[in-house]
Amino acid sequence: KLTEKQWQVVAPLFAEDDRTGKAGRPPVPARDVLNGVLWILKTGARWKDLPRDYPPYQTCHRRFQTWVEEGTIVRALQVLADDLRERGKIDLREAFIDGTFASAKKGVFWLANEARKGTKIMAIADAHGLPISVCIASASPHEVTLVEQTVDSTFLKHAPDKLIGDRAYDSDPLDERLLEQRGVEMISPHRSSRRRPPTQDGRPLRRYRKRWQIERLFAWLQNFRRLVTRHEYNTINFLGFVRLGCLVILSRQFLDRF
């Protein structure tokens, strides 16, 4: 459940269900619904297994889908990320990119090829390891083809100055497009099989040593069991859970304000 301090941070971003002039039961408070959704995110359980301590699972599921479809979670991420950057807690001088997989629950076939059923989660972490961008794709595309989509999915108005990845991101055309179109310098070690002349020197590559920041971010995200195995048939709902996990991580950075 959200602590009182965490709820004070996100409360203005989650509007109450307005049922003015409508018959039936009074609306369930947004905090109770969000706590129910977070229980599903944390445990990875089925919606119908939501404990009775929370609102009915139908209510939580309906409100979660509404928040996803209306962009509530995305806006909340943008507000929190902008505030953290203004206070110096998000550092865009350098960032780290990588991808991970969420296996598909039996019966969930969207974005699953014959060889590797599942969904690829791409993420960018800032210099402190905080999430600043996430997106999802099928399991088949190579990660180097998803870099620009991931950069464009940032929660912030500005892209990082430098983007650091592993050898999978060694691509001269990608380096040129990122620098010319988005002003982002791509830093990655060269593949051992590379035939073109080297374009990376030792000094910028020293930043590669801090790639553990993105690995730690994935470890944080995988603490949310709903992100380890994909249960959602609809793409937008799974992405909503990924973003909600990022929202929880960012909200923890506000606790020292109180």
Side-chain angles (χ1 to χ4, degrees):
K1 295 183 179 181
L2 290 173
T3 65
E4 187 63 36
K5 292 179 179 179
Q6 284 178 308
W7 176 243
Q8 290 180 33
V9 171
V10 302
L13 309 174
F14 288 86
E16 298 293 344
D17 190 8
D18 186 8
R19 297 184 60 84
T20 304
K22 298 181 181 178
R25 298 178 181 178
V28 180
R31 181 177 184 178
D32 294 342
V33 174
L34 184 55
N35 280 331
V37 176
L38 290 176
W39 187 88
I40 296 293
L41 173 66
K42 178 66 176 177
T43 64
R46 298 175 299 177
W47 283 101
K48 65 180 182 180
D49 292 333
L50 189 67
R52 294 185 178 180
D53 297 342
Y54 300 98
Y57 79 87
Q58 298 93 333
T59 300
C60 293
H61 184 259
R62 175 179 58 83
R63 295 279 291 278
F64 170 69
Q65 287 190 308
T66 300
W67 290 335
V68 169
E69 292 168 359
E70 294 182 350
T72 299
I73 298 176
V74 175
R75 289 194 296 272
L77 275 170
Q78 292 170 344
V79 170
L80 264 61
D82 283 339
D83 189 283
L84 286 171
R85 189 190 176 206
E86 289 176 2
R87 295 191 288 114
K89 287 204 167 186
I90 284 183
D91 187 352
L92 293 183
R93 287 177 295 180
E94 63 183 24
F96 306 88
I97 186 169
D98 206 352
T100 189
F101 287 98
S103 59
K105 180 72 174 176
K106 184 177 181 181
V108 180
F109 299 107
W110 184 89
L111 289 181
N113 59 21
E114 295 178 359
R116 188 180 296 164
K117 293 182 174 65
T119 301
K120 185 173 294 184
I121 302 174
M122 297 291 297
I124 298 177
D126 82 323
H128 303 310
L130 297 178
I132 59 173
S133 178
V134 289
C135 71
I136 64 173
S138 68
S140 54
H142 194 282
E143 292 177 13
V144 74
T145 66
L146 302 173
V147 173
E148 290 157 295
Q149 177 186 346
T150 309
V151 172
D152 293 341
S153 300
T154 179
F155 313 143
L156 296 159
K157 298 177 182 178
H158 304 284
D161 297 335
K162 295 178 174 60
L163 189 61
I164 303 162
D166 58 24
R167 287 180 172 83
Y169 302 93
D170 179 21
S171 169
D172 291 350
L174 172 65
D175 296 351
E176 294 171 1
R177 290 196 305 270
L178 285 176
L179 192 59
E180 293 175 1
Q181 300 175 13
R182 296 168 178 83
V184 178
E185 178 186 355
M186 186 74 206
I187 299 174
S188 64
H190 291 316
R191 294 190 182 96
S192 58
S193 59
R194 179 185 174 92
R195 296 183 179 180
R196 295 184 178 184
T199 58
Q200 303 278 354
D201 58 40
R203 192 169 183 177
L205 284 175
R206 293 176 186 173
R207 303 173 186 270
Y208 181 74
R209 300 173 183 174
K210 296 196 293 182
R211 273 197 71 258
W212 59 268
Q213 299 277 13
I214 186 68
E215 303 297 341
R216 184 180 64 176
L217 172 59
F218 283 129
W220 285 343
L221 289 174
Q222 289 173 351
N223 282 329
F224 304 114
R225 302 303 299 172
R226 196 75 177 192
L227 306 184
V228 177
T229 302
R230 174 175 171 171
H231 296 259
E232 282 65 42
Y233 181 82
N234 292 324
T235 312
I236 191 172
N237 287 344
F238 182 70
L239 181 57
F241 271 122
V242 176
R243 288 169 171 166
L244 189 59
C246 293
L247 183 67
V248 173
I249 293 171
L250 291 183
S251 70
R252 294 169 182 163
Q253 305 303 311
F254 285 79
L255 300 185
D256 63 353
R257 292 177 55 185
F258 301 91

